[in-house]
Amino acid sequence: GCLLLCLEDMVIISHHHDDHVGWNVRYPASDPNGAPVATFPRATHVYQQAEWEYPAKHFACPWRREWEVKSKPLQAAGLVKLVEGDTSLLPSVQVLSTKGHTPGHQCVRIESRGQVAYYVGDVLHTVPQVTWPEFSPIFDCCRWTPDEAKQMQRPPLAQDASAKQRKVLLQRIYEDHAVI
């Protein structure tokens, strides 16, 4: 669910679903009812502003509990950085706004030595979505129409369609695929 660049520096959160933020904090075995502790206490945790604000403003948000329990403690510890839209975090690392699965979903684009890789989070759930991004599976929370899904999710492959270099997509699909 997240791309961990360096245990000491940065954790990029694709979106707030439990399978992507479940390990943000932990509860010490010595005091399971105590305050949560950040799993990576020296890292900045990067979220899209829209992904952060949605559960804050919508009490019926299906993933509000994950936000309250797994992400807000990071903010209280000063470990959250909110970005808006496509943002360069490092010279070779950029987050891309790919709302659609959730209102503030983001992917990560990594470039090094002329090669490009993407961590796509849940912007793609199935292999056919690589070719047909208008598929909006039941997993998408926002229930976009097919036309909206195609426009909103902006799969990373389409963004670099003019580039002639080979791209690598990092994603788990059906639990047994690591790279497409």
Short mmCIF file of all heavy atoms in Angstrom, two decimals, residues 5-55:
data_model
loop_
_atom_site.label_atom_id
_atom_site.label_comp_id
_atom_site.label_asym_id
_atom_site.label_seq_id
_atom_site.Cartn_x
_atom_site.Cartn_y
_atom_site.Cartn_z
N LEU A 5 10.58 4.81 0.66
CA LEU A 5 11.81 5.21 -0.02
C LEU A 5 13.02 4.95 0.85
O LEU A 5 14.04 4.49 0.40
CB LEU A 5 11.76 6.68 -0.40
CG LEU A 5 10.69 7.05 -1.41
CD1 LEU A 5 10.70 8.55 -1.65
CD2 LEU A 5 10.92 6.30 -2.71
N CYS A 6 12.91 5.28 2.09
CA CYS A 6 14.00 5.08 3.03
C CYS A 6 13.38 5.10 4.42
O CYS A 6 12.58 5.97 4.72
CB CYS A 6 15.03 6.19 2.88
SG CYS A 6 16.35 6.10 4.09
N LEU A 7 13.75 4.16 5.23
CA LEU A 7 13.15 4.08 6.57
C LEU A 7 13.34 5.35 7.37
O LEU A 7 12.58 5.64 8.27
CB LEU A 7 13.74 2.89 7.33
CG LEU A 7 13.40 1.52 6.78
CD1 LEU A 7 14.10 0.45 7.62
CD2 LEU A 7 11.91 1.28 6.79
N GLU A 8 14.33 6.11 7.04
CA GLU A 8 14.61 7.32 7.80
C GLU A 8 13.97 8.57 7.23
O GLU A 8 13.89 9.57 7.90
CB GLU A 8 16.13 7.53 7.87
CG GLU A 8 16.88 6.38 8.48
CD GLU A 8 16.49 6.11 9.92
OE1 GLU A 8 16.29 7.07 10.68
OE2 GLU A 8 16.37 4.94 10.27
N ASP A 9 13.52 8.52 5.97
CA ASP A 9 13.15 9.75 5.30
C ASP A 9 11.67 9.92 4.97
O ASP A 9 11.05 10.89 5.37
CB ASP A 9 13.93 9.90 3.99
CG ASP A 9 15.42 10.03 4.23
OD1 ASP A 9 15.81 10.59 5.27
OD2 ASP A 9 16.19 9.57 3.40
N MET A 10 11.08 9.01 4.20
CA MET A 10 9.78 9.29 3.62
C MET A 10 8.96 8.02 3.39
O MET A 10 9.50 7.02 2.93
CB MET A 10 9.99 9.99 2.27
CG MET A 10 8.76 10.54 1.65
SD MET A 10 9.11 11.38 0.07
CE MET A 10 10.47 12.45 0.48
N VAL A 11 7.68 8.10 3.70
CA VAL A 11 6.71 7.06 3.38
C VAL A 11 5.63 7.75 2.55
O VAL A 11 5.07 8.75 2.98
CB VAL A 11 6.08 6.43 4.64
CG1 VAL A 11 5.01 5.42 4.25
CG2 VAL A 11 7.15 5.79 5.51
N ILE A 12 5.36 7.23 1.36
CA ILE A 12 4.34 7.81 0.50
C ILE A 12 3.11 6.92 0.57
O ILE A 12 3.16 5.74 0.27
CB ILE A 12 4.85 7.93 -0.95
CG1 ILE A 12 6.10 8.82 -0.99
CG2 ILE A 12 3.74 8.49 -1.84
CD1 ILE A 12 6.78 8.86 -2.33
N ILE A 13 2.00 7.51 1.00
CA ILE A 13 0.75 6.79 1.18
C ILE A 13 -0.09 6.95 -0.07
O ILE A 13 -0.44 8.08 -0.44
CB ILE A 13 -0.03 7.32 2.41
CG1 ILE A 13 0.84 7.38 3.66
CG2 ILE A 13 -1.31 6.54 2.62
CD1 ILE A 13 1.29 6.05 4.20
N SER A 14 -0.46 5.84 -0.71
CA SER A 14 -1.27 5.94 -1.93
C SER A 14 -2.69 6.38 -1.60
O SER A 14 -3.26 7.21 -2.29
CB SER A 14 -1.28 4.62 -2.71
OG SER A 14 -1.83 3.57 -1.93
N HIS A 15 -3.26 5.82 -0.51
CA HIS A 15 -4.62 6.18 -0.10
C HIS A 15 -4.90 5.57 1.27
O HIS A 15 -4.09 4.81 1.80
CB HIS A 15 -5.65 5.75 -1.14
CG HIS A 15 -5.74 4.27 -1.36
ND1 HIS A 15 -4.72 3.52 -1.89
CD2 HIS A 15 -6.75 3.41 -1.12
CE1 HIS A 15 -5.09 2.26 -1.97
NE2 HIS A 15 -6.32 2.16 -1.50
N HIS A 16 -6.06 5.91 1.85
CA HIS A 16 -6.35 5.58 3.25
C HIS A 16 -6.93 4.21 3.53
O HIS A 16 -7.31 3.95 4.67
CB HIS A 16 -7.30 6.62 3.84
CG HIS A 16 -6.59 7.78 4.46
ND1 HIS A 16 -6.77 9.05 4.02
CD2 HIS A 16 -5.72 7.86 5.47
CE1 HIS A 16 -6.03 9.87 4.74
NE2 HIS A 16 -5.39 9.17 5.62
N HIS A 17 -7.07 3.35 2.60
CA HIS A 17 -7.65 2.04 2.91
C HIS A 17 -6.73 1.25 3.83
O HIS A 17 -5.50 1.38 3.78
CB HIS A 17 -7.95 1.27 1.63
CG HIS A 17 -9.08 1.86 0.85
ND1 HIS A 17 -9.33 1.52 -0.45
CD2 HIS A 17 -10.01 2.79 1.18
CE1 HIS A 17 -10.38 2.20 -0.88
NE2 HIS A 17 -10.80 2.98 0.10
N ASP A 18 -7.34 0.41 4.66
CA ASP A 18 -6.60 -0.30 5.70
C ASP A 18 -5.43 -1.12 5.17
O ASP A 18 -4.39 -1.19 5.81
CB ASP A 18 -7.55 -1.20 6.50
CG ASP A 18 -6.90 -1.72 7.76
OD1 ASP A 18 -6.34 -0.89 8.52
OD2 ASP A 18 -6.93 -2.94 7.99
N ASP A 19 -5.57 -1.70 3.99
CA ASP A 19 -4.46 -2.50 3.46
C ASP A 19 -3.32 -1.62 2.97
O ASP A 19 -2.28 -2.13 2.55
CB ASP A 19 -4.93 -3.46 2.36
CG ASP A 19 -5.60 -2.77 1.19
OD1 ASP A 19 -6.24 -1.72 1.38
OD2 ASP A 19 -5.51 -3.31 0.07
N HIS A 20 -3.47 -0.30 3.06
CA HIS A 20 -2.41 0.62 2.65
C HIS A 20 -1.89 1.48 3.80
O HIS A 20 -0.84 2.08 3.67
CB HIS A 20 -2.91 1.51 1.51
CG HIS A 20 -3.20 0.73 0.28
ND1 HIS A 20 -2.30 0.62 -0.76
CD2 HIS A 20 -4.27 -0.03 -0.06
CE1 HIS A 20 -2.82 -0.16 -1.69
NE2 HIS A 20 -4.01 -0.57 -1.29
N VAL A 21 -2.61 1.55 4.90
CA VAL A 21 -2.16 2.34 6.05
C VAL A 21 -2.13 1.52 7.34
O VAL A 21 -1.82 2.06 8.40
CB VAL A 21 -3.02 3.60 6.28
CG1 VAL A 21 -2.93 4.55 5.11
CG2 VAL A 21 -4.46 3.24 6.59
N GLY A 22 -2.43 0.24 7.25
CA GLY A 22 -2.58 -0.59 8.44
C GLY A 22 -1.36 -0.66 9.34
O GLY A 22 -1.47 -0.90 10.53
N TRP A 23 -0.20 -0.42 8.78
CA TRP A 23 1.02 -0.50 9.56
C TRP A 23 1.61 0.88 9.87
O TRP A 23 2.73 0.98 10.35
CB TRP A 23 2.06 -1.36 8.83
CG TRP A 23 2.31 -0.86 7.44
CD1 TRP A 23 1.64 -1.21 6.31
CD2 TRP A 23 3.28 0.09 7.04
NE1 TRP A 23 2.12 -0.54 5.23
CE2 TRP A 23 3.14 0.28 5.65
CE3 TRP A 23 4.25 0.82 7.71
CZ2 TRP A 23 3.93 1.16 4.94
CZ3 TRP A 23 5.04 1.70 6.99
CH2 TRP A 23 4.86 1.85 5.61
N ASN A 24 0.89 1.96 9.60
CA ASN A 24 1.40 3.30 9.89
C ASN A 24 1.81 3.45 11.35
O ASN A 24 2.81 4.09 11.66
CB ASN A 24 0.35 4.36 9.58
CG ASN A 24 0.34 4.79 8.14
OD1 ASN A 24 1.14 4.33 7.33
ND2 ASN A 24 -0.59 5.66 7.81
N VAL A 25 0.97 2.92 12.23
CA VAL A 25 1.25 3.00 13.67
C VAL A 25 1.08 1.61 14.26
O VAL A 25 0.46 0.73 13.68
CB VAL A 25 0.33 4.00 14.39
CG1 VAL A 25 0.55 5.42 13.88
CG2 VAL A 25 -1.13 3.61 14.28
N ARG A 26 1.64 1.45 15.42
CA ARG A 26 1.50 0.17 16.14
C ARG A 26 1.26 0.50 17.61
O ARG A 26 1.50 1.62 18.06
CB ARG A 26 2.73 -0.70 15.96
CG ARG A 26 4.02 -0.05 16.35
CD ARG A 26 5.25 -0.84 15.92
NE ARG A 26 6.44 -0.03 16.05
CZ ARG A 26 7.03 0.30 17.18
NH1 ARG A 26 6.53 -0.14 18.32
NH2 ARG A 26 8.11 1.04 17.22
N TYR A 27 0.79 -0.50 18.31
CA TYR A 27 0.55 -0.34 19.74
C TYR A 27 1.53 -1.25 20.47
O TYR A 27 1.57 -2.45 20.22
CB TYR A 27 -0.90 -0.70 20.07
CG TYR A 27 -1.86 0.30 19.46
CD1 TYR A 27 -2.30 0.16 18.14
CD2 TYR A 27 -2.27 1.40 20.18
CE1 TYR A 27 -3.13 1.10 17.57
CE2 TYR A 27 -3.11 2.34 19.61
CZ TYR A 27 -3.54 2.19 18.31
OH TYR A 27 -4.36 3.13 17.75
N PRO A 28 2.34 -0.69 21.33
CA PRO A 28 3.36 -1.48 22.03
C PRO A 28 2.76 -2.67 22.77
O PRO A 28 1.70 -2.54 23.40
CB PRO A 28 4.00 -0.49 23.00
CG PRO A 28 3.66 0.85 22.47
CD PRO A 28 2.35 0.70 21.75
N ALA A 29 3.42 -3.80 22.69
CA ALA A 29 2.94 -5.01 23.37
C ALA A 29 2.83 -4.78 24.87
O ALA A 29 1.97 -5.35 25.54
CB ALA A 29 3.87 -6.18 23.07
N SER A 30 3.71 -3.94 25.41
CA SER A 30 3.69 -3.69 26.85
C SER A 30 2.46 -2.88 27.29
O SER A 30 2.08 -2.92 28.45
CB SER A 30 4.96 -2.94 27.27
OG SER A 30 5.03 -1.70 26.59
N ASP A 31 1.83 -2.16 26.34
CA ASP A 31 0.66 -1.36 26.67
C ASP A 31 -0.27 -1.28 25.46
O ASP A 31 -0.36 -0.25 24.80
CB ASP A 31 1.09 0.05 27.10
CG ASP A 31 -0.08 0.88 27.60
OD1 ASP A 31 -1.19 0.33 27.80
OD2 ASP A 31 0.11 2.10 27.78
N PRO A 32 -0.99 -2.37 25.14
CA PRO A 32 -1.82 -2.39 23.94
C PRO A 32 -2.94 -1.36 23.93
O PRO A 32 -3.48 -1.04 22.89
CB PRO A 32 -2.37 -3.82 23.90
CG PRO A 32 -2.14 -4.38 25.24
CD PRO A 32 -1.04 -3.60 25.89
N ASN A 33 -3.30 -0.82 25.09
CA ASN A 33 -4.34 0.21 25.14
C ASN A 33 -3.75 1.62 25.19
O ASN A 33 -4.49 2.59 25.32
CB ASN A 33 -5.24 -0.02 26.36
CG ASN A 33 -6.02 -1.31 26.23
OD1 ASN A 33 -6.50 -1.65 25.16
ND2 ASN A 33 -6.10 -2.05 27.32
N GLY A 34 -2.44 1.70 25.10
CA GLY A 34 -1.78 3.00 25.18
C GLY A 34 -1.80 3.75 23.86
O GLY A 34 -2.49 3.38 22.91
N ALA A 35 -1.03 4.81 23.81
CA ALA A 35 -0.97 5.66 22.62
C ALA A 35 -0.27 4.93 21.48
O ALA A 35 0.70 4.20 21.70
CB ALA A 35 -0.24 6.95 22.95
N PRO A 36 -0.73 5.15 20.24
CA PRO A 36 -0.06 4.53 19.10
C PRO A 36 1.33 5.13 18.89
O PRO A 36 1.57 6.30 19.20
CB PRO A 36 -0.99 4.86 17.93
CG PRO A 36 -1.75 6.06 18.36
CD PRO A 36 -1.86 5.97 19.85
N VAL A 37 2.20 4.31 18.34
CA VAL A 37 3.57 4.72 18.06
C VAL A 37 3.79 4.58 16.56
O VAL A 37 3.43 3.56 15.96
CB VAL A 37 4.58 3.82 18.81
CG1 VAL A 37 6.01 4.16 18.47
CG2 VAL A 37 4.33 3.91 20.32
N ALA A 38 4.38 5.58 15.93
CA ALA A 38 4.65 5.52 14.50
C ALA A 38 5.62 4.38 14.21
O ALA A 38 6.62 4.21 14.91
CB ALA A 38 5.25 6.84 14.01
N THR A 39 5.31 3.60 13.19
CA THR A 39 6.19 2.50 12.79
C THR A 39 7.52 3.05 12.30
O THR A 39 8.58 2.47 12.56
CB THR A 39 5.52 1.65 11.70
OG1 THR A 39 4.28 1.16 12.22
CG2 THR A 39 6.39 0.49 11.28
N PHE A 40 7.49 4.17 11.58
CA PHE A 40 8.70 4.83 11.10
C PHE A 40 8.73 6.24 11.69
O PHE A 40 8.30 7.20 11.06
CB PHE A 40 8.73 4.86 9.57
CG PHE A 40 8.64 3.48 8.98
CD1 PHE A 40 7.46 3.03 8.42
CD2 PHE A 40 9.73 2.63 9.01
CE1 PHE A 40 7.37 1.75 7.89
CE2 PHE A 40 9.65 1.35 8.48
CZ PHE A 40 8.48 0.91 7.92
N PRO A 41 9.23 6.37 12.92
CA PRO A 41 9.08 7.62 13.67
C PRO A 41 9.90 8.80 13.14
O PRO A 41 9.65 9.93 13.54
CB PRO A 41 9.52 7.24 15.09
CG PRO A 41 10.41 6.06 14.91
CD PRO A 41 9.87 5.32 13.71
N ARG A 42 10.86 8.56 12.26
CA ARG A 42 11.64 9.67 11.71
C ARG A 42 11.25 10.01 10.27
O ARG A 42 11.82 10.89 9.67
CB ARG A 42 13.13 9.34 11.78
CG ARG A 42 13.64 9.29 13.22
CD ARG A 42 15.11 9.04 13.27
NE ARG A 42 15.42 7.71 12.79
CZ ARG A 42 15.85 6.72 13.54
NH1 ARG A 42 16.07 6.92 14.81
NH2 ARG A 42 16.12 5.54 13.04
N ALA A 43 10.27 9.29 9.74
CA ALA A 43 9.87 9.49 8.34
C ALA A 43 8.74 10.49 8.21
O ALA A 43 7.85 10.56 9.05
CB ALA A 43 9.45 8.16 7.72
N THR A 44 8.77 11.25 7.13
CA THR A 44 7.65 12.10 6.74
C THR A 44 6.69 11.22 5.94
O THR A 44 7.10 10.49 5.05
CB THR A 44 8.14 13.26 5.85
OG1 THR A 44 9.05 14.04 6.61
CG2 THR A 44 6.99 14.11 5.38
N HIS A 45 5.41 11.27 6.27
CA HIS A 45 4.39 10.48 5.60
C HIS A 45 3.62 11.40 4.65
O HIS A 45 3.00 12.37 5.10
CB HIS A 45 3.45 9.83 6.63
CG HIS A 45 4.16 8.86 7.52
ND1 HIS A 45 5.10 9.23 8.45
CD2 HIS A 45 4.08 7.51 7.59
CE1 HIS A 45 5.56 8.15 9.07
NE2 HIS A 45 4.95 7.10 8.56
N VAL A 46 3.68 11.12 3.36
CA VAL A 46 3.16 12.02 2.33
C VAL A 46 1.79 11.54 1.86
O VAL A 46 1.64 10.41 1.40
CB VAL A 46 4.13 12.11 1.14
CG1 VAL A 46 3.59 13.08 0.08
CG2 VAL A 46 5.53 12.53 1.60
N TYR A 47 0.80 12.44 1.97
CA TYR A 47 -0.58 12.20 1.54
C TYR A 47 -1.00 13.32 0.59
O TYR A 47 -0.55 14.46 0.75
CB TYR A 47 -1.55 12.26 2.72
CG TYR A 47 -1.41 11.23 3.79
CD1 TYR A 47 -0.47 11.35 4.81
CD2 TYR A 47 -2.27 10.13 3.82
CE1 TYR A 47 -0.38 10.41 5.82
CE2 TYR A 47 -2.18 9.19 4.83
CZ TYR A 47 -1.24 9.34 5.82
OH TYR A 47 -1.15 8.41 6.82
N GLN A 48 -1.95 13.03 -0.28
CA GLN A 48 -2.61 14.09 -1.04
C GLN A 48 -3.56 14.83 -0.09
O GLN A 48 -4.23 14.20 0.75
CB GLN A 48 -3.40 13.52 -2.21
CG GLN A 48 -2.55 13.11 -3.39
CD GLN A 48 -1.98 14.30 -4.15
OE1 GLN A 48 -2.61 15.35 -4.29
NE2 GLN A 48 -0.76 14.12 -4.64
N GLN A 49 -3.63 16.13 -0.22
CA GLN A 49 -4.53 16.95 0.60
C GLN A 49 -5.97 16.44 0.49
O GLN A 49 -6.67 16.33 1.50
CB GLN A 49 -4.46 18.41 0.13
CG GLN A 49 -5.33 19.36 0.91
CD GLN A 49 -4.67 19.88 2.16
OE1 GLN A 49 -3.46 20.02 2.22
NE2 GLN A 49 -5.46 20.15 3.17
N ALA A 50 -6.42 16.12 -0.72
CA ALA A 50 -7.80 15.66 -0.92
C ALA A 50 -8.05 14.34 -0.19
O ALA A 50 -9.14 14.10 0.33
CB ALA A 50 -8.10 15.50 -2.41
N GLU A 51 -7.05 13.47 -0.14
CA GLU A 51 -7.21 12.19 0.55
C GLU A 51 -7.30 12.40 2.05
O GLU A 51 -8.02 11.69 2.74
CB GLU A 51 -6.03 11.26 0.22
CG GLU A 51 -6.19 9.86 0.73
CD GLU A 51 -7.27 9.06 0.01
OE1 GLU A 51 -7.83 9.51 -1.00
OE2 GLU A 51 -7.57 7.95 0.48
N TRP A 52 -6.59 13.39 2.55
CA TRP A 52 -6.63 13.70 3.98
C TRP A 52 -7.95 14.36 4.37
O TRP A 52 -8.55 14.03 5.39
CB TRP A 52 -5.46 14.61 4.34
CG TRP A 52 -5.29 14.75 5.81
CD1 TRP A 52 -5.85 15.71 6.62
CD2 TRP A 52 -4.57 13.88 6.67
NE1 TRP A 52 -5.50 15.50 7.93
CE2 TRP A 52 -4.70 14.37 7.98
CE3 TRP A 52 -3.80 12.74 6.46
CZ2 TRP A 52 -4.11 13.77 9.08
CZ3 TRP A 52 -3.21 12.13 7.55
CH2 TRP A 52 -3.37 12.65 8.83
N GLU A 53 -8.41 15.28 3.55
CA GLU A 53 -9.59 16.06 3.89
C GLU A 53 -10.90 15.27 3.77
O GLU A 53 -11.85 15.55 4.51
CB GLU A 53 -9.68 17.31 3.01
CG GLU A 53 -8.63 18.33 3.35
CD GLU A 53 -8.69 19.54 2.44
OE1 GLU A 53 -9.45 19.55 1.44
OE2 GLU A 53 -7.97 20.51 2.74
N TYR A 54 -10.96 14.30 2.86
CA TYR A 54 -12.23 13.62 2.63
C TYR A 54 -12.77 12.95 3.90
O TYR A 54 -13.90 13.23 4.30
CB TYR A 54 -12.10 12.61 1.49
CG TYR A 54 -13.44 12.08 1.05
CD1 TYR A 54 -14.24 12.80 0.18
CD2 TYR A 54 -13.91 10.88 1.54
CE1 TYR A 54 -15.48 12.33 -0.21
CE2 TYR A 54 -15.16 10.40 1.16
CZ TYR A 54 -15.94 11.12 0.29
OH TYR A 54 -17.17 10.66 -0.08
N PRO A 55 -12.02 12.10 4.59
CA PRO A 55 -12.58 11.51 5.80
C PRO A 55 -12.76 12.53 6.93
O PRO A 55 -13.62 12.36 7.78
CB PRO A 55 -11.58 10.42 6.18
CG PRO A 55 -10.32 10.81 5.50
CD PRO A 55 -10.71 11.56 4.27
#
